[in-house]
């Protein structure tokens, strides 16, 4: 009996020691080491890939944002602020109280099939809006020139990037709304176009938040002259 109690006590003590050691190693030491390495080598990414403007954090380069006008009385859906470049549609999980455009608790795809009537209506309406919003006097947008990412949301609904084609489609409208030369806005897009990763992974892309921050700085500089 005494031998059994002694063995049980020894096993309990050994288990407790193992628990304490593993708790310290995996719960304290390991997180501190990983955090320290990340902060030392990749501080920007470790802190959420934050983007600053005027000394303040305005968002993350990993999460898309909407650029809308304030809601008017009785208005449920905000209108896009057309002086800024617009990102992809963000239907995500669909229109509901949990998951609205870029104000998300959850992220996800629409989960509609390619022949779903609601999805087809979303795409048709989005395409008409892109054509209308980006057509400027003397330069109407041909519906066939509207790229797919202009009318479809990404798998997460939070895509921060658009294609260079969609950014280019918006150049004349942004230039007109901000009273800036088209060539200067086109150069701005080129400067913020990221090529394929390692030259072959993915597609060229433009981060909308980074582009709009640069646009804001350009507008401010121009106004100061």
């Amino acid at each position: 009996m005494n031998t059994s109690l002694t063995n049980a006590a020894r096993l309990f003590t050994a288990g407790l020691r193992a628990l304490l050691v593993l708790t310290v190693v995996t719960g304290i030491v390991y997180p501190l080491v990983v955090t320290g390495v990340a902060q030392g080598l990749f501080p920007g990414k470790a802190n959420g890939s934050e983007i600053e403007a005027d000394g303040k954090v305005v968002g993350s380069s990993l999460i898309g944002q909407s650029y809308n006008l304030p809601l008017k009385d009785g208005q449920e859906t905000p209108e896009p602020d057309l002086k800024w470049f617009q990102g992809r549609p963000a239907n995500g999980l669909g229109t509901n109280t949990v998951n609205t455009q870029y104000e998300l608790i959850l992220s996800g795809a629409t989960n509609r099939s390619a022949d779903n009537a609601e999805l087809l209506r979303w795409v048709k309406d989005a395409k008409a809006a892109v054509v209308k919003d980006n057509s400027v006097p003397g330069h109407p947008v041909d519906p066939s020139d509207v790229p797919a990412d202009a009318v479809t949301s990404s798998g997460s609904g939070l895509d921060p990037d658009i294609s260079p084609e969609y950014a280019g489609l918006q150049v004349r409208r942004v230039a007109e709304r901000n009273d800036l030369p088209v060539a200067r806005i086109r150069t701005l897009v080129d400067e913020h176009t990221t090529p394929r990763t390692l030259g072959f992974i993915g597609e060229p892309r433009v981060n909308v938040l980074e582009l709009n921050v640069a646009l804001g700085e350009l507008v401010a500089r121009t106004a100061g002259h």
Side-chain angles (χ1 to χ4, degrees):
M1 184 70 175
N2 289 335
T3 303
S4 298
L5 288 174
T6 301
N7 289 336
R10 186 170 61 251
L11 290 173
F12 177 79
T13 302
L16 183 60
R17 286 200 302 266
L19 174 63
L20 291 175
V21 170
L22 290 173
T23 298
V24 171
V25 172
T26 61
I28 299 175
V29 177
Y30 177 74
L32 287 176
V33 170
V34 171
T35 300
V37 171
Q39 291 291 341
L41 299 179
F42 317 103
K45 293 181 178 179
N47 291 319
S49 300
E50 296 174 339
I51 296 179
E52 295 187 357
D54 297 326
K56 297 183 295 185
V57 175
V58 295
S60 168
S61 63
L62 304 177
I63 301 176
Q65 294 189 17
S66 58
Y67 292 85
N68 295 325
L69 296 169
L71 283 171
K72 301 175 183 177
D73 291 340
Q75 190 180 38
E76 295 184 359
T77 304
E79 298 176 1
D81 189 345
L82 297 179
K83 69 180 181 181
W84 302 106
F85 284 92
Q86 298 293 315
R88 297 183 66 171
N91 292 315
L93 298 175
T95 303
N96 55 63
T97 57
V98 175
N99 193 43
T100 57
Q101 187 173 26
Y102 290 135
E103 296 173 354
L104 304 175
I105 297 174
L106 302 172
S107 68
T110 60
N111 289 329
R112 267 74 170 177
S113 63
D115 60 351
N116 179 269
E118 186 176 31
L119 178 61
L120 293 174
R121 177 174 56 80
W122 284 348
V123 171
K124 181 179 178 181
D125 292 347
K127 190 170 188 178
V130 169
V131 170
K132 176 178 177 292
D133 291 343
N134 292 284
S135 293
V136 300
H139 295 279
V141 172
D142 190 322
S144 64
D145 291 335
V146 177
D149 62 303
V151 297
T152 56
S153 59
S154 65
S156 69
L158 296 169
D159 196 346
D161 302 321
I162 57 176
S163 66
E165 291 76 20
Y166 186 27
L169 190 72
Q170 303 181 61
V171 163
R172 290 188 180 276
R173 182 254 298 161
V174 171
E176 180 185 67
R177 296 281 176 147
N178 290 284
D179 196 24
L180 291 169
V182 171
R184 185 66 190 91
I185 300 300
R186 199 176 301 280
T187 299
L188 198 67
V189 171
D190 292 340
E191 292 171 350
H192 288 81
T193 298
T194 302
R196 290 181 174 88
T197 303
L198 300 178
F200 67 94
I201 300 175
E203 295 293 333
R205 58 200 180 276
V206 180
N207 187 283
V208 179
L209 177 56
E210 293 177 352
L211 179 59
N212 278 334
V213 168
L215 173 62
E217 294 172 350
L218 176 61
V219 170
R221 288 197 305 269
T222 303
H225 290 311

